[in-house]
């Protein structure tokens, strides 16, 4: 149950789009559609931004979108805003339904 | 509005056992379809799922921590607890309690509590 692989950092100017990846295996990301994404600002608890790959909880802007292909899930933030600068973590439920695994985390910087 | 609040000591000695409690307010811990979870984050590092419990007492643990972890629930107090034994410095982290829904994702989180393992 190794951590899912994310790039350490990504960046974009206000108004631009940024996409970050989350790579796992067929035992987690690739095995089902139970991938969620979390935003974490410094010193704060994480906040769920997407669940079931691409579903947005109430109150999350539609600038946040998700997709999955094979063992890799992706989060896209369109129309970047200064408040989007944060750490982002993906998370997958295991196919066995016995554990969860988080990604290594990606810091999005708004230039 | 559902709220979760962690409580417990902020400093624990190596080889001892960490004990934390999460108090749930604004909703019942006995609600079906929800699983009550512990997640931790070492300083400057990523998130790590520790384990989850259903109100009935069924538990799921991270395999690599399973031998040291016990999660229990007290429905009468609307609380659940974490015990982690044989502590080392590597267990120093912010410990979060969170609610897992049926989707499954973690939709409500406590503010987190820093636990330092040091003599």
């Amino acid at each position: 149950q190794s951590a899912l692989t994310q790039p350490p950092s990504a960046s974009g100017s206000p108004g631009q789009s940024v996409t970050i990846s989350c790579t796992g295996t067929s035992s987690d990301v690739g095995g089902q559609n139970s991938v969620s994404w979390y935003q974490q600002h410094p010193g704060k608890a994480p906040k769920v931004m997407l669940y079931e790959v691409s579903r947005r909880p109430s109150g999350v802007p539609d600038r946040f979108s998700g997709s999955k292909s094979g063992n890799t899930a992706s989060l896209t933030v369109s129309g970047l805003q200064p408040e989007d600068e944060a750490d982002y973590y993906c998370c997958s439920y295991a196919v066995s339904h016995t554990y969860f695994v988080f990604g290594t985390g990606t810091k999005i910087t708004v230039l | 509005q559902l709220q979760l609040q962690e409580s417990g000591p902020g400093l624990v000695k190596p080889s001892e056992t960490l004990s934390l409690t999460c108090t749930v307010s604004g909703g019942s811990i006995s609600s079906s379809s929800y699983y009550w979870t512990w997640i931790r984050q070492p300083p400057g590092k990523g998130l790590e799922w520790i384990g989850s419990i259903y109100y009935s007492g069924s538990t799921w643990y991270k395999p690599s921590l399973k031998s040291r972890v016990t999660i229990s629930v007290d429905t009468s107090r609307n609380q659940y607890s974490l015990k982690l034994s044989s502590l080392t410095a590597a267990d120093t982290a912010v410990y979060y309690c969170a609610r897992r829904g049926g989707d499954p994702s973690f939709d409500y989180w406590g503010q987190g509590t820093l636990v330092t393992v040091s003599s």
Side-chain angles (χ1 to χ4, degrees):
Chain A
Q1 306 87 25
S2 300
L4 307 176
T5 300
Q6 296 181 234
S9 62
S11 62
S13 299
Q16 290 186 331
S17 294
V18 63
T19 297
I20 56 179
S21 60
C22 168
T23 301
T25 69
S26 58
S27 295
D28 38 63
V29 175
Q32 60 189 320
N33 289 328
S34 296
V35 176
S36 50
W37 288 89
Y38 300 85
Q39 177 191 66
Q40 186 180 34
H41 288 110
K44 301 295 186 181
K47 172 188 175 183
V48 61
M49 304 303 284
L50 296 173
Y51 65 96
E52 290 181 340
V53 177
S54 60
R55 295 178 180 267
R56 281 185 305 276
S58 174
V60 173
D62 60 6
R63 303 184 292 103
F64 291 84
S65 61
S67 63
K68 193 189 83 165
S69 178
N71 295 337
T72 298
S74 298
L75 167 72
T76 297
V77 186
S78 305
L80 270 174
Q81 298 189 5
E83 59 265 33
D84 299 333
E85 184 163 296
D87 293 324
Y88 290 81
Y89 294 91
C90 61
C91 181
S92 179
Y93 198 23
V95 169
S96 61
H97 288 193
T98 56
Y99 65 88
F100 285 85
V101 58
F102 280 95
T104 49
T106 299
K107 180 175 179 57
I108 289 182
T109 300
V110 181
L111 301 170
Chain B
Q1 176 77 348
L2 191 77
Q3 292 186 327
L4 291 80
Q5 178 68 57
E6 306 90 351
S7 59
L11 179 64
V12 190
K13 290 181 169 52
S15 79
E16 294 189 343
T17 296
L18 173 162
S19 294
L20 295 175
T21 295
C22 181
T23 300
V24 179
S25 59
S28 173
I29 204 169
S30 300
S31 297
S32 60
S33 299
Y34 296 121
Y35 301 77
W36 305 94
T37 298
W38 288 98
I39 293 165
R40 69 180 181 179
Q41 183 173 35
K45 297 187 178 180
L47 299 167
E48 179 183 28
W49 176 79
I50 298 171
S52 299
I53 190 166
Y54 195 56
Y55 76 93
S56 63
S58 296
T59 53
W60 296 262
Y61 300 133
K62 180 173 182 175
S64 61
L65 295 174
K66 190 172 184 177
S67 63
R68 299 196 292 131
V69 174
T70 302
I71 298 176
S72 58
V73 64
D74 185 338
T75 55
S76 66
R77 296 186 176 188
N78 232 31
Q79 295 177 331
Y80 65 107
S81 299
L82 168 71
K83 290 188 185 301
L84 181 63
S85 63
S86 304
L87 295 173
T88 70
D91 295 309
T92 293
V94 174
Y95 285 76
Y96 294 100
C97 58
R99 187 183 81 168
R100 185 215 123 179
D103 12 66
S105 67
F106 305 107
D107 55 358
Y108 285 91
W109 295 66
Q111 64 185 25
T113 186
L114 175 63
V115 176
T116 301
V117 180
S118 175
S119 55

